[in-house]
Amino acid sequence: MTEPRSDIETEGRRDGGMEGCRDDELSDSEALSPALSFTPSEEATGTRLDTYLASQIPTTSRSQVRRAIELGKVLVNGQPIAKPAYEVSAGEEIQITLPETAPLEAKPEAIPLNIVHEDDEIIVINKAAGMVTHPGAGVVSGTLANALVYHLQQQALQLPRRGGSSRPGIVHRLDVGTSGLIVVAKTDRAHLYLAEQFQSRAVRKIYSALVYGKIKDDEGKIEAPIGRDPRSRVKMTIRPVGVGRDALSLYRVIERFEEFTLLDVEIKTGRTHQIRVHLAHINHPIIADPTYDLGKANSIKSAKLRSIINKLDRPFLHAARLSFLHPATNERVEFTASLPDDLQKFLALI
């Protein structure tokens, strides 16, 4: 199977929509993106064509895939398939050409940024929870990209071309509900250099996460493929090998509480919602994550604890450490960001 490459690596967005998902009508005259090719595995046999393709292209909605099928832009073994419900078979050569949607543009907005480090090549920002990384479906302002465009314009700097008009200089992103470190390129050279490191998994990304339950082992590994949930396009889930995309998370226990465990989680891949899905998969979902918490909040006996959890308005997930090779020096640099006030206060209450 050939996976499409992307310069954007992500832990994912909070519930409410995948970036890049649009249900707009598509016309046959629109510009087409390069064709993507896939070969289903044995485990994928019998899966609907639209479901299979949507699971392989996380930034594309199932409705977009169905529309491409209806336009004759999906070929199976060289022949157009007109039925989204067609069941794929192992070994088939599937090719899809998706019409491109009009690009969004990040307009400059004077939004304060918590800048951890800045030089001629990069900016490292401690993103606040609640801020979307860049414009996407349903979000056109108030994003990190809007703030960055304004920041660079104030320095009379030319915007990087790499990343496009909606996300100039952005190489990876964080879920809107996740706080913490994100690196942005100020030059095209830096963007290319950083993107290559994300692609080769040379970037180290470590998150702080508080989960339900006591994890027995001091450290562990979660290796399970992730793909779009066929029952809900705004959720991801564990999928069979060959259907989902490979995903690897490493965790280490920092502190155990009566009802919870504080973890350091290092992600070796950057799948949408990866940490949230993986921790839920081992039955230790993240606190205050209604999409993946498996109803764990209801199992807490203490009414006081349940009340504290209900008052936390975002998942307890923070990008605490980020390490990569600097584009100018080729030397490894590391940045850290302590837990924000809302998460520190939550820990103090439990």
Side-chain angles (χ1 to χ4, degrees), residues 12-20 104 106 109 111 113 125 127-148 166-167 170 172-179 182:
R13 289 184 58 169
R14 194 179 183 186
D15 28 291
M18 304 293 184
E19 294 179 356
L104 295 169
E109 295 180 18
I111 302 171
L113 290 172
I125 294 165
K127 185 186 84 68
M131 176 180 274
V132 175
T133 303
H134 61 73
V139 180
V140 296
S141 66
T143 74
L144 178 65
N146 295 110
L148 284 166
S166 68
R167 54 194 188 205
I170 291 178
H172 66 131
R173 62 191 177 214
L174 295 176
D175 181 347
V176 63
T178 302
S179 55
I182 184 168

Side-chain angles (χ1 to χ4, degrees), residues 117 119 121-122 193 324-333:
H117 170 84
D119 56 43
E121 297 288 338
I122 62 171
Y193 192 77
F324 52 87
L325 300 180
H326 195 284
T329 65
N330 200 35
E331 295 180 352
R332 182 162 290 277
V333 291

